[in-house]
Amino acid sequence: MENLINIGVIGCGYWGPNLVRNFSEVPGVRVKIVSDFKLALLTKMQARYPTIQITTDCQDIFTDPEIDAVVIATPVSTHYDLALAALKAGKHVMV
C-alpha cells in the first residue's frame, strides 16, 4: 500500500492497547511494533494482533527506518525523554 504510515507504540499499560486498537482500524496506518518493559503485556498484545512486532527495548522503535511516528503511552515522568529520543531519531511523535 502506498503512503502507509508505520507507527510504533511505547507502553502497553492502560492507554497503549486502546491506541493500538484505534490506530489498527485507520486505513493507511499500520502499527508495526509495540514496546513495553513487561513481556506479559506484550504477549497479550501480540496474541490479539499477530502481525505486530513486540520488543522490550524502545530503541528498536527509534532505530527502525520504517517507523514514521511514535506514540507514547507511558507514565508522564517518562514522556520528555522518550519524545526527545523519538524526535532526534526523525520520527513524528504523539504523547
Side-chain angles (χ1 to χ4, degrees):
M1 173 183 245
E2 217 171 297
N3 296 325
L4 183 67
I5 298 170
N6 288 297
I7 294 178
V9 176
I10 303 173
C12 284
Y14 181 78
W15 284 107
N18 295 314
L19 292 164
V20 170
R21 177 178 44 83
N22 284 305
F23 280 116
S24 294
E25 295 175 0
V26 176
V29 173
R30 173 176 73 145
V31 178
K32 182 179 181 199
I33 187 168
V34 177
S35 174
D36 198 284
F37 289 130
K38 297 178 182 174
L39 190 55
L41 295 175
L42 291 170
T43 303
K44 283 177 62 176
M45 183 69 64
Q46 195 170 47
R48 185 167 182 180
Y49 303 97
T51 61
I52 291 177
Q53 297 172 26
I54 58 172
T55 181
T56 56
D57 186 355
C58 62
Q59 290 298 319
D60 294 337
I61 292 175
F62 302 144
T63 59
D64 187 328
E66 290 187 355
I67 295 295
D68 301 301
V70 177
V71 177
I72 299 171
T74 59
V76 173
S77 63
T78 66
H79 287 176
Y80 176 81
D81 290 334
L82 291 171
L84 184 60
L87 290 169
K88 284 184 176 181
K91 311 299 183 189
H92 298 279
V93 177
M94 178 183 149
V95 180

